[in-house]
């Protein structure tokens, strides 16, 4: 398939939905750079929640409505792990577990290759045309400070169900991370870049925090690539997850305008929902064009429709 190449930046649930919509139009011309800040070890295995959510969505096997896991999965292994006294709050389905087993085995093998190479091999096995690229091969675990002190991201997100107030964030080890050759090549070829409607602070934030990532974007922009961002905040609220509370707690505004302010230095076109149409003039005053449309993705058709509107706005 010829034509312009696109890089999308994504976290999990919101990012995966738009990535899937973009894939419907772009196929192999799409590269998705995913957040790896949520990655964690469970039962001795590497789990990559955002990579895997995008993988399952692009493969069309995602668990409907939940934002993680495989549709129709069973939990026999998890129940048996619990019987041995293993921690079971991070639910991994049987078919989901197979991915973590395969990935961890390949990473441990002498000839297994880098994280990105292992992920690409697994994606090919599921027949994916687009490429899902970890933001870095080095671990950059996100940590969250609450009243209890610093917590690992999944302790806050899954175990404590995002209930504590977030006082501070850090991306451990980020200074030693760098974009992979695959990520650099994708930006080098891209004529458009899309910041998906993912959490700006803990999904897009870690990707942009990798040293060298912003320079890759800047070089692409200098070559003429255009950048769009889709607001994950609609009517002041996140559709799912803690993005709204987290923005407010960390001194930002929980609104489409608040997200636009975070991206103003990068973005040409900011996409906001019809319910936020009133905010468009204020977003434009930050120096961006706006696209006001229905940004709620409820099915394959609405994912593809939003993706095509975003791509058209970048032409
Ligand atoms: P996580 O890694 O699973 O938390 O997922 P992301 O960071 O990729 O996405 C979380 C954000 O997705 C939340 O702020 C939601 O408001 C947003 N989101 C989820 N579904 C949609 C949708 O259909 N449209 C838009 N605009 N945002 C969405
Ligand atoms: Ca995530």
């Amino acid at each position: 398939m010829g034509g312009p190449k696109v890089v999308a930046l994504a976290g999990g649930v919101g990012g995966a939905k738009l990535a899937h919509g973009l894939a419907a139009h772009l196929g192999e011309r799409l590269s998705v750079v995913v957040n790896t800040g949520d990655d964690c070890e469970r039962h001795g295995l590497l789990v990559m929640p955002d990579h895997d959510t995008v993988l399952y969505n692009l493969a069309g096997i995602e668990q409907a409505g939940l934002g993680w896991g495989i549709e129709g999965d069973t939990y026999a292994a998890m129940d048996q792990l619990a019987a041995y006294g293993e921690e079971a709050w991070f639910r991994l389905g049987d078919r989901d577990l197979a991915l973590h087993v395969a990935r961890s085995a390949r990473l441990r093998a002498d000839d297994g290759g880098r994280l990105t190479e292992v992920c690409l091999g697994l994606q090919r096995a599921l027949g994916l045309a687009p490429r899902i690229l970890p933001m870095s091969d080095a671990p950059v675990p996100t940590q969250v400070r609450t009243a209890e002190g610093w917590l690992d991201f999944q302790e806050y997100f899954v175990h404590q169900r995002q209930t504590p107030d977030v006082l501070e964030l850090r991306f451990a080890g980020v200074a030693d991370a760098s974009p992979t050759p695959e990520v650099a090549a994708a930006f080098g070829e891209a004529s458009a870049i899309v910041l998906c409607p993912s959490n700006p602070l803990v999904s897009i934030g870690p990707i942009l925090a990798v040293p060298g990532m912003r320079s890759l974007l800047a070089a692409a922009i200098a070559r003429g690539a255009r950048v769009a961002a889709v607001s994950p905040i609609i009517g002041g609220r996140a559709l799912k997850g803690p993005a709204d509370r987290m923005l407010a707690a960390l001194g930002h505004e929980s609104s489409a305008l608040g997200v636009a302010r975070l991206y103003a230095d990068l973005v040409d076109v900011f996409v906001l929902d019809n319910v936020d149409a009133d905010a468009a003039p204020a977003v434009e005053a930050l120096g961006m064009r706006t696209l006001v449309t229905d940004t709620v993705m409820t099915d394959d058709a609405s994912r593809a429709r939003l993706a095509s509107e975003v791509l058209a706005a970048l032409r």
Side-chain angles (χ1 to χ4, degrees):
M1 226 187 317
K5 297 194 172 166
V6 176
V7 171
L9 274 55
V13 59
K17 285 196 237 174
L18 187 60
H20 180 243
L22 290 165
H25 301 287
L26 298 166
E28 66 186 22
R29 288 186 284 128
L30 176 68
S31 296
V32 185
V33 177
V34 283
N35 172 41
T36 59
D38 300 10
D39 296 5
C40 57
E41 211 178 276
R42 307 300 306 165
H43 316 290
L45 306 172
L46 175 64
V47 177
M48 303 179 71
D50 289 353
H51 172 277
D52 298 350
T53 295
V54 175
L55 174 68
Y56 295 151
N57 272 268
L58 293 188
I61 58 173
E62 82 278 10
Q63 187 152 233
L66 278 184
W68 56 272
I70 295 179
E71 185 67 23
D73 213 345
T74 51
Y75 292 85
M78 207 69 223
D79 293 342
Q80 194 64 24
L81 283 164
Y84 293 120
E86 296 292 311
E87 270 188 350
W89 52 263
F90 198 96
R91 303 285 292 164
L92 298 168
D94 296 324
R95 293 165 70 202
D96 188 20
L97 201 56
L99 174 60
H100 315 314
V101 169
R103 178 166 47 214
S104 302
R106 291 180 192 191
L107 284 168
R108 275 176 206 141
D110 289 339
D111 55 355
R114 293 176 293 115
L115 178 67
T116 298
E117 295 168 325
V118 167
C119 287
L120 287 170
L122 294 161
Q123 294 162 30
R124 278 193 296 274
L126 286 190
L128 256 56
R131 301 177 351 136
I132 310 169
L133 303 175
M135 67 191 199
S136 169
D137 285 328
V140 184
T142 298
Q143 295 169 338
V144 175
R145 189 165 66 82
T146 71
E148 262 185 72
W150 287 102
L151 303 177
D152 288 339
F153 187 74
Q154 299 303 348
E155 171 64 26
Y156 155 78
F157 198 84
V158 175
H159 199 191
Q160 303 198 9
R161 296 165 199 274
Q162 311 134 42
T163 41
D165 285 331
V166 172
L167 306 173
E168 199 180 343
L169 294 171
R170 72 182 176 201
F171 309 131
V174 70
D176 300 320
S178 57
T180 60
E182 290 85 353
V183 167
F187 277 110
E189 295 175 351
S191 59
I193 296 164
V194 179
L195 310 191
C196 289
S198 291
N199 187 315
L201 301 176
V202 293
S203 291
I204 304 296
I207 301 175
L208 294 176
V210 173
M213 195 67 76
R214 280 179 177 270
S215 320
L216 290 174
L217 258 106
I221 292 167
R223 263 196 310 100
R226 303 279 215 50
V227 186
V230 179
S231 178
I233 302 291
I234 299 179
R237 305 292 304 258
L239 293 182
K240 197 171 167 50
D244 44 10
R245 279 177 300 127
M246 204 184 273
L247 281 164
L250 294 175
H252 308 285
E253 194 176 292
S254 171
S255 66
L257 177 60
V259 176
R261 286 194 186 112
L262 292 172
Y263 294 152
D265 59 334
L266 288 175
V267 165
D268 301 299
V269 180
F270 192 79
V271 184
L272 11 68
D273 196 82
N274 288 324
V275 304
D276 295 312
D278 287 356
V283 173
E284 284 165 11
L286 296 169
M288 293 172 270
R289 285 192 287 135
T290 55
L291 168 64
V292 179
T293 187
D294 180 3
T295 67
V296 180
M297 294 171 279
T298 51
D299 55 16
D300 288 1
S302 53
R303 293 171 177 197
R305 193 229 354 109
L306 179 58
S308 88
E309 288 187 51
V310 171
L311 293 172
L314 286 172
R315 275 203 273 280

